Amino acid sequence: MRHSKLFAGLVLAGLAASAIPAFAQSNVTLYGIVDDALTYSSNQNGKSNTYLRNGNLAGSRWGLRGTEDLGGGTSALFQLENGFDVNNGAFSSSGVMFNRQAFVGVKNAQAGTLTIGRQYSPYYLMVGTIGPVAYVTGATGAHPGDIDGLDTTIRINNSVTYTSPVLWGVTASVQYGFGGQAGAMGKGNTFSGALRYDGGPLSLAAGYLRLNNIGGGTTWNGASTGVPGTSAVNQGYVTADSLQHIAVAGIYTLGSLTLGASYSNVQYKPGAASLFHDSAIFNTAGVHASWIVAPQWRLAAAYSYTAASKANGITDAATYHQVSLAQVYSLSKRTSLYALEAWQHANGKSISANGVSIINAGPVVGDSQNSTPSATSSQFVGMLGIRVDF
């Protein structure tokens, strides 16, 4: 009798357990990077400088990312990412906690991924990630002043992004950033689209990005959904009504050697309130290479040439030559020591920040010197640093 009662109790317990709904599995990951370097610049607005610079091999950050299995091959996802300066503990963007990324969405293996929030553009995610920044870093390897946005300079607020599943090695993605201006949908909005092919050793990508400016000031209006970086390269054109990026890139891997090339066309188009009157165009072509010498050693190099258009009274248009090198030694899977070197030479003329005065083109290595261009025609930057991932 006792055994019969025990058996009946176990059966009832099993039935009760089966009546409880199965909760979907979820996970949340805390991650981050801390990166700092002793940096030397040969000329910053007329003087050399030796200082500590944060976020060079990769931007210092911490973040949370998570997924929840909703069943049927569908999952919910989110990511929140904050950038900070390890040298003073400050946010990378004053008053903005999750300045790098903040989005939520759903993903289905057959239907693709839909996300909303503050995000990188498909242009960057598909083209920029196989450009020189991915191998030589943005600090010293981005094209002058990150003129073509192939580094992480531009993030899109109020945006909706759809990314297709991979079909025959091809992925497509489109994004729209809502300007939020009542009665004027085109003011301050953003559109981006990109295609990418990944097949064995070969990856190819093409992308488009258009930023529309809300305007109303002497700089690009920060309330626009997308805001470009400003440097001596483009300072005279930030009152543009719109900014268009078109770029293509490709890499080919041969064992431990990866070879890549990229081309971009950038156009600043004036409007009625712009301080300049002719479209300003920048064409950039570049090549890069990365070599894994040994499991713990990686070497990389890049060269780029940028040419501005003759417009706005300029007959001797600016050109920029840049050479970048990187050496990375991995102490472990999470910790790396690195050295970065870059040299840039500028020729010709450009426009000053007031959009009117014609001045000598000022060199700006990568996007590490955007606010500190050289007062001479050349600039050299060297860094010795450490990166720790967690």
Side-chain angles (χ1 to χ4, degrees):
M1 179 65 71
R2 186 174 63 184
H3 292 295
S4 297
K5 289 181 178 179
L6 178 61
F7 178 74
L10 290 173
V11 171
L12 289 172
L15 291 172
S18 65
I20 300 173
F23 290 98
Q25 291 188 347
S26 62
N27 69 81
V28 177
T29 301
L30 171 67
Y31 68 93
I33 298 171
V34 183
D35 183 306
D36 205 11
L38 180 65
T39 302
Y40 169 78
S41 177
S42 64
N43 192 302
Q44 293 183 334
N45 295 311
K47 298 180 180 179
S48 64
N49 193 16
T50 301
Y51 60 109
L52 286 175
R53 187 179 188 279
N54 163 74
N56 306 294
L57 196 62
S60 294
R61 72 197 72 171
W62 69 271
L64 296 167
R65 65 166 68 95
T67 60
E68 182 184 13
D69 185 357
L70 302 177
T74 301
S75 58
L77 58 93
F78 77 90
Q79 186 166 356
L80 303 171
E81 190 172 272
N82 162 262
F84 62 90
D85 189 329
V86 69
N87 288 311
N88 57 23
F91 289 163
S92 296
S93 300
S94 178
V96 183
M97 184 171 186
F98 297 114
N99 66 305
R100 293 184 65 89
Q101 298 181 82
F103 63 84
V104 64
V106 291
K107 180 178 182 178
N108 181 276
Q110 282 72 47
T113 303
L114 182 69
T115 53
I116 56 176
R118 176 176 170 84
Q119 310 171 73
Y120 292 117
S121 66
Y123 170 88
Y124 162 72
L125 290 173
M126 293 194 173
V127 184
T129 51
I130 57 174
V133 169
Y135 298 91
V136 193
T137 83
T140 53
H143 296 146
D146 194 28
I147 185 65
D148 48 17
L150 292 179
D151 195 10
T152 57
T153 303
I154 302 171
R155 300 169 178 91
I156 311 304
N157 291 329
N158 308 318
S159 62
V160 179
T161 304
Y162 170 74
T163 303
S164 74
V166 180
L167 298 173
W168 302 288
V170 177
T171 308
S173 185
V174 293
Q175 180 185 71
Y176 182 78
F178 291 88
Q181 300 296 302
M185 278 194 65
K187 283 290 186 181
N189 67 355
T190 297
F191 175 76
S192 179
L195 285 171
R196 177 156 160 173
Y197 169 77
D198 293 290
L202 178 66
S203 291
L204 298 170
Y208 175 84
L209 173 64
R210 181 185 176 93
L211 308 176
N212 288 316
N213 190 5
I214 291 178
T218 57
T219 62
W220 188 276
N221 194 314
S224 305
T225 56
V227 179
T230 302
S231 71
V233 179
N234 68 346
Q235 62 184 357
Y237 308 111
V238 292
T239 58
D241 184 63
S242 66
L243 169 57
Q244 175 182 283
H245 297 72
I246 299 173
V248 294
I251 57 170
Y252 193 85
T253 301
L254 297 163
S256 60
L257 179 65
T258 298
L259 302 174
S262 63
Y263 166 77
S264 66
N265 173 275
V266 177
Q267 298 186 32
Y268 289 81
K269 300 182 179 181
S274 298
L275 298 179
F276 64 102
H277 51 80
D278 299 325
S279 292
I281 301 171
F282 295 85
N283 288 290
T284 301
V287 293
H288 61 271
S290 179
W291 179 30
I292 301 174
V293 182
Q296 70 275 25
W297 268 110
R298 183 176 67 85
L299 306 178
Y303 167 77
S304 68
Y305 174 75
T306 300
S309 59
K310 296 179 180 179
N312 298 291
I314 296 175
T315 57
D316 181 16
T319 60
Y320 306 84
H321 296 267
Q322 181 175 285
V323 177
S324 306
L325 304 173
Q327 306 88 46
V328 182
Y329 181 80
S330 299
L331 297 173
S332 69
K333 290 183 178 181
R334 295 180 179 271
T335 302
S336 299
L337 301 177
Y338 63 85
L340 306 173
E341 307 87 22
W343 174 83
Q344 187 184 123
H345 183 74
N347 288 308
K349 303 295 182 179
S350 184
I351 296 290
S352 67
N354 65 13
V356 177
S357 302
I358 297 176
I359 60 174
N360 291 328
V364 182
V365 164
D367 58 14
S368 65
Q369 308 294 309
N370 280 12
S371 61
T372 53
S374 175
T376 64
S377 61
S378 298
Q379 185 178 57
F380 170 82
V381 175
M383 301 181 180
L384 292 173
I386 181 171
R387 165 181 167 168
V388 178
D389 294 32
F390 63 88

